[in-house]
Amino acid sequence: MRYLTSGESHGKKITTIIEGVPARMPLLKEDIDKSLLRRQKGHGRGRRMQIEKDLVEITSGVRHGYTLGSPITLVVNNDDFKSWVNIMGEDPIDDNEKVRRVVTRPRPGHADLNGALKYGHRDMRNVLERSSARETTARVAAGAVAKIMLQQLGIEVVGYVKEIAGIRAKEMEDVTIQERMEVSEASPVRVLDKDVEQEMMDRIDQAKKDGDSIGGVCEVYVEGMPAGIGSYVHYDRKLDAKLAGSVMSINAFKGAEIGIGFEAARRNGSEVHDEILWSEEKGYYRRTNRLGGFEGGMTTGMPLVIKGVMKPIPTLYKPLQSVDIDSKEPFNASIERSDSCAVPAAAVVMEHVIAFELAKALTDQFTSDQFPQLKKAIDDYREEIRCF
């Protein structure tokens, strides 16, 4: 499985093309829409989320509610494009007509300047329109398809917030995945710990009032992945490495951890590694799950626990200093419409990015031309390793 995305933030539409989804898998538009609408929620989101109503149009690869095995095309229209036709339209403009909303002042923390240097754009709107987090709409759409596949295979994925601006939710290891889904979905900041929910919201409100932005930590929790998915034989087949890379590819994410992550550097080995147990019902399992469901680049059968660090959004209403690329004079960086905190929404994006990598790993490892064959192969494998 793989996917490509296209589209600009204020362009006509965002498009996702997914290749490699098995044939004969149930897939409904409304299931993808649910994921897209979840991405738009969260305390601290900006006005753009009030303008757009992200709903998908499936234009290929699905017939009568089932996948065909051919590429799936998902399209989300940008409602705000009607206000940007003269700015983002594809038609040439007259020689005597000026390009509107030209950006010559790169914003610190964005792709503006580096993208302009790479592609030679004197108008950095050509960079920021594509590097915008609006592109995560397409990635959530792809991940929604993957989540549907995983659910059919008995695998559940949920993302939520662990920390915002240094305010940390307490560890809640004994909470079921269903409770994690329900509690995070009901929270304006997608946090499981109700004791810090209001404090996080107040901190977001203060950042908005100050014209500033704040970041945080998201966590994705996965149940149902069988042991032995991934590989130890080559660096580029290690599934935990692929997940870490996918997390780092999300806009504004600057770090990833598996299990206790960097905390492992501060503990003795006896406090890090997970003892192996066996039972007739479970097969092999671990007494603890400090390594987050991975050993040797492969799943252990324990829940997967992946964290991602999101920096504060660099678009500030009290802008940082920059340099105009035309005049070379110092200026305050230009402002594009933005959020004061997008960590709750980022948790949804991370959830779907992780889901796609897991679905891809399964289709890589098992026969996957037809979904019933894939399901049977994984069911047989689960029984085989239970009795190993």
Side-chain angles (χ1 to χ4, degrees), residues 12-27:
K12 290 181 179 179
K13 57 190 65 180
I14 302 293
T15 302
T16 311
I17 299 178
I18 313 171
E19 183 183 41
V21 176
R24 300 170 61 198
M25 186 187 86
L27 182 60

Side-chain angles (χ1 to χ4, degrees), residues 107-108 203 206-214 312-322 331-336 338-340:
R107 300 163 298 167
R203 184 66 183 84
Q206 187 61 49
K208 184 175 182 180
K209 181 179 178 181
D210 295 342
D212 217 328
S213 62
I214 52 179
I313 291 173
T315 299
L316 307 177
Y317 286 93
K318 53 174 188 182
L320 301 174
Q321 183 174 305
S322 183
F331 284 96
N332 286 335
S334 60
I335 298 172
E336 292 288 319
S338 185
D339 307 333
S340 55

Side-chain angles (χ1 to χ4, degrees), residues 125-251:
R125 178 160 301 285
N126 294 334
V127 178
L128 66 88
E129 285 289 337
R130 177 59 183 172
S131 64
S132 165
R134 179 69 181 154
E135 189 263 352
T136 61
T137 307
R139 304 190 70 186
V140 169
V145 175
K147 279 193 66 178
I148 293 162
M149 179 189 299
L150 294 174
Q151 287 167 358
Q152 295 283 327
L153 298 172
I155 300 164
E156 295 286 354
V157 185
V158 61
Y160 43 84
V161 171
K162 291 290 289 185
E163 181 178 337
I164 289 179
I167 303 167
R168 297 182 181 181
K170 63 176 177 284
E171 294 296 327
M172 304 178 76
E173 295 179 4
D174 296 331
V175 178
T176 68
I177 193 163
Q178 190 61 40
E179 290 172 328
R180 292 170 195 259
M181 292 176 180
E182 292 172 358
V183 174
S184 62
E185 196 64 25
S187 170
V189 285
R190 294 198 176 279
V191 70
L192 302 182
D193 182 2
K194 291 295 183 182
D195 292 341
V196 299
E197 182 178 84
Q198 188 60 52
E199 188 178 358
M200 287 180 172
M201 292 169 65
D202 291 344
R203 184 66 183 84
I204 291 170
D205 292 341
Q206 187 61 49
K208 184 175 182 180
K209 181 179 178 181
D210 295 342
D212 217 328
S213 62
I214 52 179
V217 177
C218 306
E219 181 171 280
V220 172
Y221 185 89
V222 184
E223 277 190 359
M225 279 292 286
I229 308 302
S231 180
Y232 62 92
V233 301
H234 283 297
Y235 71 93
D236 59 347
R237 296 181 188 172
K238 296 187 175 188
L239 182 54
D240 51 358
K242 291 181 179 181
L243 293 180
S246 70
V247 170
M248 287 291 290
S249 73
I250 303 170
N251 303 55

